[in-house]
């Protein structure tokens, strides 16, 4: 029987403790560091209200400068409880919301910045339009979204994803292949595509660690083919 996204994420969270979150905060992945640096570089005035939607462990928000006014939202109450405890142990401030991102209990225009990573790729085209509409509703005019997702257009990641699924070893919900969200953005009034960047070549090859032969082969091919990195980031502005 096929499990729902909610069931998969609940099961995933059961294996995470506060100690795991604090360890990841102190030892973040290269793509997490680069993603947060990109947001902070673009948002020069750091005294802004920012929300991470679909935060799960909240590591990205922990890394983010404390000059932001942070809110973390997730549908999974266990994830939010873990985030609260991790923030408390690290003496960091944030607000926390348990809610469905398709219908958030948040007033219109409440935030200057919206971001997440590893969320939107699990939803269909029409669902992605719905997500962007709801994000746009709570975003202030002149605000920005930073939406990050795995780069299925980079061959090493795509191959690793297909192999994991072939042997039923993929631990997350199914992922859709997304290039830049331009079509979805065009379907939402007031939103404007700003740019697409790709980060973290370092993280790309780690997905091939299940096979030293595969990993070495793609590292060698990269010298000639120069694969794109692991994480696609799309910046979206609200006019």
């Amino acid at each position: 029987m096929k499990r729902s996204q909610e069931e998969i994420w609940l099961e995933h969270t059961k294996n995470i403790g506060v100690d795991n979150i604090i360890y990841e905060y102190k030892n973040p992945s290269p793509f997490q560091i680069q993603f947060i640096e990109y947001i902070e570089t673009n948002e020069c005035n750091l005294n802004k209200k920012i929300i991470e939607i679909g935060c799960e462990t909240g590591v990205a928000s922990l890394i983010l400068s404390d000059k932001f006014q942070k809110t973390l939202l997730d549908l999974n109450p266990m994830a939010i409880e873990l985030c609260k405890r991790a923030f408390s142990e690290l003496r960091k401030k944030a607000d926390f919301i348990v809610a469905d991102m398709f219908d958030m209990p948040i007033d219109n225009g409440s935030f200057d910045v919206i971001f997440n990573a590893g969320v939107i790729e699990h939803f269909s085209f029409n669902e992605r339009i719905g997500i962007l509409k709801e994000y746009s509703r709570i975003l202030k005019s002149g605000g920005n979204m930073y939406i990050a997702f795995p780069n299925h257009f980079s061959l090493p990641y795509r191959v690793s994803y297909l192999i994991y699924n072939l042997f039923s070893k993929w631990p997350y919900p199914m992922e859709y292949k997304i290039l830049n969200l331009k079509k979805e953005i065009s379907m939402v009034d007031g939103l404007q595509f700003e740019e697409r960047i790709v980060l973290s070549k370092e993280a790309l090859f780690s997905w091939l660690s299940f096979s030293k032969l595969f990993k070495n082969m793609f590292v060698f091919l990269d010298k000639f083919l120069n694969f794109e990195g692991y994480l696609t980031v799309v910046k979206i502005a609200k006019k």
Side-chain angles (χ1 to χ4, degrees):
M1 184 176 177
K2 190 176 180 180
R3 295 185 298 164
S4 68
Q5 274 207 55
E6 189 174 352
E7 290 171 328
I8 293 170
W9 287 123
L10 283 168
E11 187 64 29
H12 186 256
T13 308
K14 288 178 183 178
N15 300 316
I16 300 172
V18 174
D19 289 346
N20 301 123
I21 296 173
I22 292 174
Y23 177 84
E24 285 188 33
Y25 161 69
K26 293 180 178 179
N27 303 274
S29 300
F31 75 86
Q32 291 174 315
I33 296 170
Q34 292 168 32
F35 180 39
I36 295 305
E37 286 177 347
Y38 176 70
I39 294 173
E40 291 179 351
T41 299
N42 279 272
E43 304 298 329
C44 297
N45 177 7
L46 295 180
N47 189 25
K48 292 182 175 180
K49 293 186 69 176
I50 188 167
I51 182 169
E52 182 181 4
I53 300 175
C55 62
E56 199 191 26
T57 61
V59 172
S61 286
L62 283 168
I63 298 168
L64 189 72
S65 170
D66 292 331
K67 293 181 182 180
F68 285 100
Q69 299 175 53
K70 304 176 188 178
T71 297
L72 290 79
L73 181 147
D74 203 284
L75 180 61
N76 182 350
M78 287 194 298
I80 290 296
E81 183 58 32
L82 285 168
C83 289
K84 285 181 179 179
R85 290 168 57 195
F87 268 74
S88 177
E89 287 199 24
L90 293 166
R91 298 183 179 179
K92 290 179 175 287
K93 294 180 180 179
D95 294 317
F96 303 91
I97 302 172
V98 177
D100 186 339
M101 68 178 177
F102 286 91
D103 184 20
M104 294 181 281
I106 297 171
D107 292 338
N108 295 351
S110 292
F111 290 93
D112 300 290
V113 183
I114 291 170
F115 81 100
N116 59 31
V119 175
I120 205 163
E121 71 273 13
H122 300 298
F123 296 92
S124 68
F125 177 79
N126 287 332
E127 288 173 324
R128 295 196 294 270
I129 294 171
I131 287 168
L132 292 177
K133 284 181 178 177
E134 182 66 354
Y135 288 8
S136 180
R137 182 186 66 78
I138 70 167
L139 185 65
K140 294 179 182 178
S141 295
N144 294 311
M145 302 181 199
Y146 300 89
I147 309 300
F149 45 90
N151 184 11
H152 281 271
F153 288 84
S154 188
L155 187 60
Y157 181 75
R158 184 65 178 173
V159 167
S160 64
Y161 174 78
L162 293 174
I163 289 174
Y164 274 111
N165 276 279
L166 181 64
F167 293 99
S168 301
K169 297 294 185 181
W170 189 249
Y172 310 110
M174 183 193 78
E175 294 182 359
Y176 289 88
K177 193 175 182 181
I178 305 170
L179 178 62
N180 55 28
L181 292 173
K182 278 187 176 180
K183 191 170 182 181
E184 293 92 328
I185 293 165
S186 71
M187 303 292 286
V188 182
D189 290 342
L191 292 187
Q192 178 175 296
F193 173 86
E194 292 287 297
E195 69 174 344
R196 172 189 184 265
I197 66 165
V198 181
L199 304 173
S200 193
K201 182 70 73 74
E202 309 95 309
L204 182 64
F205 301 111
S206 66
W207 289 95
L208 295 161
S209 57
F210 61 84
S211 168
K212 188 174 181 180
L213 176 64
F214 263 70
K215 184 175 181 178
N216 290 341
M217 179 182 73
F218 277 104
V219 168
F220 174 76
L221 289 174
D222 183 57
K223 296 176 182 178
F224 307 96
L225 300 177
N226 190 24
F227 299 118
E228 284 191 327
Y230 160 66
L231 192 71
T232 298
V233 182
V234 175
K235 181 184 177 185
I236 306 166
K238 183 175 179 180
K239 296 181 284 185

